[in-house]
Amino acid sequence: MPRPRTGPTRKLPYSPADATAFLSAADPKLARLIEKAGPFTVRLRAQQSPFEALAQSIIYQQLHGKAAATIHDRLIRTFNPDIPANHPNPTLLHPSPQQILDCPNDQLRAAGLSNNKALALRDLAAKTLDGTVPSLATIRRMSDAAIIDHLTQVRGIGKWTVEMFLIFRLGRPNILPTSDFGIRKGFALTYLGLKPTTKLTPDLLATPAQIERRAKKWQPFCSVASWYLWRACDPPKQ
């Protein structure tokens, strides 16, 4: 699950209170998890374009959050060498698609990007400029399925990455990332009797089919249910 991000935010296009009330009424087991985990706290970045959000997703893939954040910050600073060290939000100075295409490979590698991630960033930049990756105004009018179809054409962008984009950047209410490890573990903890102290093996995780069957109760708020399943993997300290 993506790490929380700082900076200006905007409201979700749905009411978290209405969503949690609906889910609690529809699914008693989920209701207990919601009560234990507390309020739904997702907020949307106010100023991040699809290109910027997906570039950040590419950088964060398969890395610990702190290491990825360091690389992301370093990349931005290679294009803005005069940013003060204490700048409150350097992501506002993110390079443009054209800047990514025009910069030398050495600049991307010096920021800490692997060769595959550098190639993925360049492909994202090219597909942003040719319209494969739509503008934020356009993408907000598209269906979830159409967005997945468009964005997975980018090298290094799979369905899971787009699902995270739909939940955490666009605020789509009904996304269910059934392949996500945390969702599968959280479901097993909540519904299948998995104990937090049990040594986890792949066979103990919920299957996508099991999650999808239960999720019929959650529609149209699968995104909110997913967020609570992630919380089940990291319960609040008593």
Side-chain angles (χ1 to χ4, degrees):
M1 177 181 168
R3 292 171 62 84
R5 300 193 179 130
T6 59
T9 61
R10 62 183 179 85
K11 289 184 178 181
L12 290 159
Y14 57 90
S15 164
D18 289 349
T20 53
F22 173 88
L23 292 168
S24 294
D27 188 333
K29 287 189 176 181
L30 188 60
R32 289 194 288 273
L33 174 58
I34 290 170
E35 183 178 5
K36 182 178 180 181
F40 182 73
T41 59
V42 169
R43 298 293 181 269
L44 306 180
R45 287 289 297 270
Q47 296 173 302
Q48 196 177 40
S49 70
F51 169 73
E52 292 167 354
L54 293 169
Q56 188 166 1
S57 294
I58 288 170
I59 292 168
Y60 272 66
Q61 286 170 1
Q62 299 178 322
L63 288 176
H64 186 277
K66 186 175 181 180
T70 298
I71 292 171
H72 190 220
D73 182 74
R74 193 183 298 144
L75 176 68
I76 291 169
R77 290 176 186 278
T78 68
F79 290 92
N80 301 276
D82 297 326
I83 302 177
N86 61 349
H87 191 288
N89 194 6
T91 57
L92 296 177
L93 303 172
H94 200 284
S96 68
Q98 194 63 59
Q99 284 178 300
I100 291 292
L101 287 178
D102 290 344
C103 76
N105 280 330
D106 288 348
Q107 183 175 347
L108 300 180
R109 298 304 299 275
L113 292 170
S114 67
N115 185 58
N116 282 339
K117 288 189 178 183
L119 290 171
L121 274 186
R122 290 191 188 278
D123 192 52
L124 172 64
K127 286 186 167 65
T128 298
L129 292 175
D130 73 15
T132 302
V133 177
S135 67
L136 186 57
T138 298
I139 215 167
R140 282 176 175 160
R141 298 192 295 268
M142 295 168 63
S143 70
D144 298 337
I147 294 169
I148 290 171
D149 183 61
H150 271 70
L151 299 187
T152 52
Q153 296 177 60
V154 177
R155 178 182 179 130
I157 299 289
K159 186 181 178 186
W160 179 88
T161 298
V162 184
E163 288 170 336
M164 298 303 103
F165 175 80
L166 289 167
I167 294 172
F168 295 104
R169 180 63 189 94
L170 297 184
R172 295 295 171 93
N174 202 35
I175 305 301
L176 185 66
T178 57
S179 67
D180 182 90
F181 176 87
I183 297 291
R184 296 175 65 195
K185 180 182 176 182
F187 189 96
L189 288 165
T190 305
Y191 297 97
L192 304 181
L194 178 67
K195 303 299 182 185
T197 55
T198 300
K199 183 178 179 180
L200 192 60
T201 55
D203 60 295
L204 296 177
L205 294 172
T207 66
Q210 287 174 313
I211 299 169
E212 287 164 4
R213 283 195 296 271
R214 188 76 181 197
K216 292 175 182 178
K217 296 175 178 284
W218 306 338
Q219 296 182 19
F221 294 116
C222 287
S223 298
V224 180
S226 297
W227 187 85
Y228 279 102
L229 292 179
W230 279 312
R231 301 279 71 71
C233 300
D234 186 23
K237 295 180 180 179
Q238 301 299 322

